[in-house]
Amino acid sequence: MRHLSFVPTEVLRTLVGSSAEEVDQLERDLGLAIPAALREYLLTMGESPPNSEYYHHGTLEMKYMQDWLGDWVKRYRAEGVPLPGMDNAIPFLQFQDTFFYVLAGTYRDDPPAYAFDINDTPTIRLLHDRFTDFVVKQWGHKGQPR
């Protein structure tokens, strides 16, 4: 593992990853190239979220999340909120009124992780400069969920 080497072997044994075929199909369904760090994340833990409180997570739900986020983006744009770059958003987690996502095409290996909060006016927050830093924050220093 290149990007998620911080996850201990004993923790890796408890995770359920997506197959390469599932990730490849997801990439075709999204119409966007999945960055290398997110791809590794999906192959490692794409079906077992680092935190069980997330509503939507993983390879099987990412197209649904992309469509749902896209509906919100269209709504906000119709209200005059420009939301540049959101056409390249790849949401990987959703919790309550927040989508966690990376942008395809900007950084191929380890892109920044963002949060898109649904409110009367949407809020976009940079969470970490690298997706793997987001995962480290979720898993802590010893690979244990926070």
Side-chain angles (χ1 to χ4, degrees):
M1 260 193 298
R2 181 173 165 221
H3 297 285
L4 302 177
S5 59
F6 64 87
V7 181
T9 304
E10 62 273 9
V11 174
L12 287 174
R13 286 189 215 124
T14 68
L15 301 174
V16 178
S18 301
S19 70
E21 294 79 19
E22 290 170 321
V23 177
D24 290 344
Q25 182 61 52
L26 173 65
E27 191 168 57
R28 287 188 294 275
D29 292 345
L30 295 175
L32 297 170
I34 296 173
L38 179 56
R39 176 178 290 277
E40 186 174 307
Y41 171 86
L42 294 171
L43 292 169
T44 304
M45 60 184 91
E47 300 311 316
S48 58
N51 188 327
S52 62
E53 67 186 21
Y54 293 117
Y55 295 154
H56 297 286
H57 168 269
T59 308
L60 299 177
E61 295 186 312
M62 287 173 65
K63 177 61 177 150
Y64 168 75
M65 287 188 287
Q66 184 195 40
D67 292 344
W68 189 13
L69 177 60
D71 289 344
W72 280 104
V73 168
K74 286 177 193 169
R75 174 183 165 198
Y76 288 127
R77 284 179 175 163
E79 294 172 0
V81 181
L83 299 173
M86 291 304 294
D87 295 330
N88 291 327
I90 301 176
F92 56 89
L93 295 172
Q94 185 269 324
F95 177 70
Q96 294 182 347
D97 291 338
T98 302
F99 292 90
F100 300 91
Y101 69 95
V102 297
L103 292 174
T106 308
Y107 301 86
R108 282 300 305 145
D109 281 348
D110 198 359
Y114 297 92
F116 182 95
D117 299 312
I118 299 168
N119 295 302
D120 290 335
T121 302
T123 304
I124 295 175
R125 299 175 285 133
L126 172 65
L127 300 175
H128 294 281
D129 289 332
R130 296 181 321 147
F131 171 76
T132 51
D133 292 338
F134 174 84
V135 177
V136 167
K137 180 75 172 171
Q138 293 298 303
W139 280 86
H141 299 292
K142 295 186 171 120
Q144 298 301 316
R146 290 190 179 232

